[in-house]
Amino acid sequence: MPAFFLRHRSRTSRLPLRHRPGLIEPPGSHYEADMSIWDRLGDFIARVSSSASSGVADVVEAVRTVFSGDPDLRRRVAFSVAMIALSAKMAKADGIVTQDEVRAFQEIFEVPPSETRNVARLYDIAKQDVAGFETYAQRMAQLCGSGHANCMMLEDILDGLFHIAKADGLIHEREGQFLHRIAEIFRIDEVHYEAILSRHVNLGAADPYVVLGIERGKPFEEIRKRYRKLISDNHPDRLIARGLPQEFIKIATSRVAAINAAYEMIERGLRHA
C-alpha cells in the first residue's frame, strides 16, 4: 500500500482485545477470481478522482450509475468502496494509520499492485473530503444496505472496520466512539453491536451470551437455534452472495471461530450446572 499508510503512533486509551483465533486461508489465488472487480473498480476510481468535486456524493452516485446494469458487481464494488472510505474516515478521526492496520486492511483486500494507486486515490478522496464520517456512513448505508435494521452487509462492513481498528493490539477510545456511531447510523441495534464488539474485545463473564446475541437463562433449544442461524448466516457462500470479496472469508473464519467458542462454553456450562 502507499507510503501514507506507513506511519507510527502511540495511544493510551484502550479496550482489552479478545484473543484472535487462527484464520483459514482460502484456496487458490486471491485476486485471480476478483481480478475483474479490481479492473472495474480501478477504472471507476480513476474516473471519479479525475472529476470529483463533492467527495462522497460523487463517489456514491458514480457507483450507483456505473454499475447499475450489474447488481452483483455493484454490491461488491459498494462494499469495497465503503470499507476503503470508512477506513480513511476512521484514520482521520483517530489521527493516523499504523503498519498493523495496513496489514489488516490487506487481509480484507489483497489489492493487485497495478491498482494500489487507485485505491490510494479513493482513500485520499474520503480522507480529504470536508464531509464528516457520519455523512459517509449514511450514504454508504443507502448504497450497501437492505433498508432494514441489522442489515447483514452493513454488519460485515462494521466487522471489517473492527478488524482494522484492533490490528495494532488496541481499540483506542476515539476508534470505539467512531465504530459505535457507525453502528447507530447503520441501524445496528445495541444487542447486535455488543455481539460484534464481543468478537473483538473481551467483555468478561457475560461474553459467550453476548457473542451469540442471546439473553442468559434462555432455554438451551433457543440457544442452539440462535447458534445454528449465526453459522448459516456466516457460511462463505452467504458472504459471497452479499457482495463480500474473497479475502473477507478470512475475517469470517475468525467470526465463526468466536461463535463456535461461545456456543461450546455455554454448552459446557449448562452441562455442568
Side-chain angles (χ1 to χ4, degrees):
M1 295 299 288
F4 65 79
F5 281 113
L6 307 181
R7 301 176 188 167
H8 177 70
R9 71 178 173 196
S10 60
R11 292 284 190 275
T12 54
S13 299
R14 66 189 69 181
L15 291 172
L17 294 185
R18 164 181 293 285
H19 174 69
R20 282 177 279 183
L23 300 179
I24 300 172
E25 192 78 11
S29 168
H30 285 306
Y31 44 77
E32 278 181 9
D34 279 346
M35 185 60 77
S36 62
I37 188 178
W38 285 111
D39 286 344
R40 298 293 302 278
L41 185 59
D43 177 61
F44 157 76
I45 294 170
R47 289 169 59 181
V48 170
S49 62
S50 65
S51 61
S53 58
S54 54
V56 63
D58 285 343
V59 170
V60 171
E61 193 54 38
V63 173
R64 197 188 311 277
T65 57
V66 170
F67 303 101
S68 60
D70 190 337
D72 179 64
L73 184 59
R74 184 174 71 84
R75 283 196 303 272
R76 298 176 73 199
V77 170
F79 176 87
S80 301
V81 168
M83 282 299 309
I84 295 165
L86 290 174
S87 295
K89 286 299 185 183
M90 184 164 64
K92 188 172 183 178
D94 184 47
I96 204 164
V97 181
T98 67
Q99 291 180 338
D100 288 328
E101 288 170 337
V102 177
R103 282 189 286 271
F105 183 91
Q106 291 172 326
E107 287 177 353
I108 302 175
F109 299 104
E110 187 167 332
V111 183
S114 60
E115 299 300 337
T116 55
R117 185 183 299 274
N118 281 324
V119 172
R121 285 176 182 170
L122 179 56
Y123 187 96
D124 283 340
I125 288 172
K127 193 170 182 181
Q128 295 170 13
D129 189 357
V130 294
F133 76 88
E134 292 176 327
T135 301
Y136 259 80
Q138 288 162 359
R139 298 300 293 271
M140 293 305 169
Q142 293 169 7
L143 188 66
C144 303
S146 63
H148 303 293
N150 302 317
C151 168
M152 285 299 299
M153 190 171 187
L154 297 179
E155 286 192 38
D156 292 332
I157 293 171
L158 187 62
D159 216 18
L161 292 172
F162 263 107
H163 179 72
I164 294 168
K166 73 177 184 181
D168 59 357
L170 312 170
I171 291 181
H172 304 291
E173 184 176 9
R174 288 183 182 177
E175 289 172 329
Q177 293 168 351
F178 175 92
L179 292 164
H180 190 265
R181 181 60 185 138
I182 293 291
E184 291 177 340
I185 294 168
F186 282 179
R187 295 177 62 201
I188 295 172
D189 65 35
E190 280 298 311
V191 171
H192 280 74
Y193 177 77
E194 289 290 323
I196 296 168
L197 176 66
S198 68
R199 294 198 291 262
H200 301 280
V201 176
N202 190 340
L203 299 181
D207 195 38
Y209 290 89
V210 176
V211 170
L212 298 188
I214 195 165
E215 293 178 16
R216 185 184 292 272
K218 289 286 186 181
F220 182 68
E221 281 304 313
E222 284 191 38
I223 296 171
R224 180 158 52 193
K225 183 178 178 180
R226 173 65 179 165
Y227 162 74
R228 287 175 174 171
K229 183 179 188 306
L230 288 173
I231 294 299
S232 174
D233 287 344
N234 290 286
H235 188 279
D237 290 346
R238 293 282 186 94
L239 299 177
I240 298 301
R242 289 204 292 269
L244 275 62
Q246 183 74 21
E247 293 90 345
F248 198 88
I249 292 176
K250 289 189 287 188
I251 312 304
T253 60
S254 179
R255 179 192 295 178
V256 168
I259 292 167
N260 281 329
Y263 178 74
E264 289 169 6
M265 188 178 300
I266 292 171
E267 189 179 34
R268 281 198 308 270
L270 292 176
R271 189 184 303 130
H272 293 99

